[in-house]
Amino acid sequence: MLIKKSKIAALLTAVAVAITGCGPFTGFSVYDVTSGDSGIETMSDDALISVGFSQLGSESTWRSANTESVKAALSTNNGFFLIYDNARQKQEKQFKAVRSFISQRVDYIVICPVIQEGWDVVLTEARDAGIPVILLDRNISVNDESMYTSFIGEDMYAEGASAGKWLEEHLEKQGKSEDDINIVVIEGTSGSSAQEGRARGFGAIAARNMNWKMIASAKGEFTQTKGKETMARLLREFDDIDVIVCQNDDMAFGAIEALNEAGVKTGGAGDPILISFDGTRKALELVKEGVINVDVECNPNSGELLAQIINGLEAGKEIKKTYYMEEKVFTKENVDEYIEDRNY
Ligand code: AHR
């Protein structure tokens, strides 16, 4: 599927109009072609594959790394014309972006869906327009899976289960397998596959440990600010917390701030156990220091695989429905092996 000069010109007009805010195309709050190449001149190449990318927001360190990974992989030098839109956590904005991509007749639409439900109508529109949709990072819940071509992302259920299994083993090593364990969870965006999958995965392990008491599960929206606010509230409500599960690193950073302000340490013998997800560099440093006990990786570097899948589709290759990223579990015992290579 080669993009013709006339089509590039149409896209450039649309993008220019989007930037200036004049005319019918006002769907993009951000337009971004990867920096470091020759931009407009490169786009005169008539073999670029056009991709509309609806990113769900910029709430976390992880999200920024994911956006950068896509921009780097779908660069003009790699043969792509990328139209990037940041939905700022609003599904409505994602719908608007997708409709704008459809009206510009892009070759592919890539979506990081903020929440799981509600995609049927807009994806039907993309399918009717004959534009393949690739889901990235988070998954969706639709009646008909033919509405999207492929999902590339993380196995959130497995991540949650890994955290639960680590806790089981840790408590056993401490001789606490039979003790009552009070657990609080600071949740990511409600209704997102990341929040729901991690909760289900951890919950499955919790269900087989009758002594684990899930005493609270509160919203943290995947942000540091909200993580801090929620942790401060949980500390006011409970004085017997044994385990804090933060569903991402940014919320863990916020929780640590609140804990520090309350004079509560984590990670050491007799301290509350702190569990987090993502595996950002700052979090790995906190694992090394013993402040976070375990950090389950959520791999944001899906851009390269995304480019391979699109190139595969272009070449008429068979594409799988689901591609999971490889992910590790970081503890004090293994973190030194990975910390230096972490660039986000
Ligand atoms: O969907 C991935 C999750 O979303 C990451 O854990 C989190 O940091 C991000 O905001």
Side-chain angles (χ1 to χ4, degrees):
M1 201 184 300
L2 295 185
I3 181 164
K4 300 290 171 228
K5 277 183 181 159
S6 57
K7 187 166 177 193
I8 289 280
L11 282 163
L12 285 172
T13 307
V15 165
V17 171
I19 294 165
T20 58
C22 308
F25 295 96
T26 53
F28 305 122
S29 53
V30 179
Y31 165 68
D32 187 356
V33 174
T34 305
S35 58
D37 53 34
S38 51
I40 301 292
E41 288 95 288
T42 312
M43 283 181 249
S44 67
D45 188 332
D46 68 357
L48 295 177
I49 302 164
S50 59
V51 179
F53 174 36
S54 171
Q55 178 57 284
L56 63 87
S58 45
E59 73 285 1
S60 62
T61 314
W62 188 98
R63 186 66 48 203
S64 306
N66 180 246
T67 300
E68 285 316 307
S69 169
V70 172
K71 286 183 178 176
L74 303 193
S75 66
T76 47
N77 284 345
N78 288 344
F80 295 93
F81 179 85
L82 180 67
I83 306 166
Y84 166 75
D85 183 80
N86 181 341
R88 302 183 196 287
Q89 306 298 318
K90 298 268 183 285
Q91 189 183 37
E92 278 303 322
K93 286 192 184 209
Q94 296 207 278
F95 294 162
K96 203 171 163 193
V98 170
R99 290 191 171 113
S100 183
F101 299 150
I102 294 171
S103 74
Q104 290 173 79
R105 300 185 306 281
V106 296
D107 295 319
Y108 295 88
I109 294 174
V110 176
I111 308 171
C112 289
V114 63
I115 55 171
Q116 297 181 95
E117 303 290 339
W119 291 96
D120 296 75
V121 173
V122 79
L123 291 192
T124 304
E125 290 169 30
R127 191 177 57 185
D128 290 350
I131 302 174
V133 170
I134 299 172
L135 304 176
L136 195 73
D137 163 33
R138 295 185 189 168
N139 219 326
I140 59 172
S141 171
V142 277
N143 292 329
D144 176 0
E145 291 205 336
S146 73
M147 286 195 188
Y148 64 90
T149 302
S150 198
F151 164 80
I152 306 165
E154 308 83 48
D155 187 340
M156 306 295 186
Y157 180 91
E159 291 176 7
S162 294
K165 285 179 200 153
W166 176 88
L167 182 61
E168 242 177 6
E169 283 168 26
H170 180 75
L171 292 172
E172 198 169 322
K173 281 186 208 150
Q174 308 281 306
K176 292 183 175 170
S177 310
E178 305 298 322
D179 292 6
D180 277 354
I181 303 293
N182 290 336
I183 302 174
V184 297
V185 179
I186 305 186
E187 299 172 358
T189 307
S190 306
S192 67
S193 67
Q195 175 266 319
E196 192 270 337
R198 287 173 191 162
R200 263 191 316 117
F202 188 83
I205 308 301
R208 69 187 190 201
N209 289 277
M210 299 310 283
N211 55 320
W212 292 13
K213 314 281 177 217
M214 306 296 286
I215 58 172
S217 194
K219 291 179 187 179
E221 291 167 13
F222 284 131
T223 68
Q224 183 162 346
T225 311
K226 194 74 185 158
K228 180 175 180 180
E229 192 185 302
T230 301
M231 188 72 247
R233 183 167 60 74
L234 291 171
L235 285 170
R236 286 194 296 275
E237 279 175 34
F238 303 99
D239 58 5
D240 51 356
I241 299 171
D242 298 305
V243 179
I244 302 157
V245 180
C246 293
Q247 286 187 341
N248 86 340
D249 283 345
D250 292 76
M251 293 191 297
F253 304 149
I256 292 165
E257 280 175 24
L259 288 155
N260 285 344
E261 285 172 17
V264 180
K265 285 198 165 48
T266 56
D271 298 335
I273 292 165
L274 182 53
I275 296 176
S276 186
F277 295 84
D278 280 359
T280 59
R281 187 180 176 110
K282 184 174 162 190
L284 296 196
E285 281 161 4
L286 291 166
V287 169
K288 190 177 161 85
E289 285 170 32
V291 175
I292 295 177
N293 295 78
V294 63
D295 204 297
V296 179
E297 187 174 34
C298 180
N299 187 344
N301 293 317
S302 43
E304 213 172 295
L305 182 56
L306 172 65
Q308 280 170 24
I309 302 298
I310 295 176
N311 284 325
L313 287 165
E314 290 290 299
K317 288 192 184 150
E318 206 173 306
I319 296 302
K320 288 197 291 180
K321 196 74 186 174
T322 301
Y323 294 86
Y324 284 129
M325 301 296 291
E326 203 187 301
E327 301 182 316
K328 299 185 179 60
V329 175
F330 302 111
T331 61
K332 216 172 188 176
E333 285 70 46
N334 69 356
V335 74
D336 280 334
E337 281 175 55
Y338 303 103
I339 208 161
E340 285 313 317
D341 296 335
R342 195 99 319 203
N343 59 356
Y344 57 92

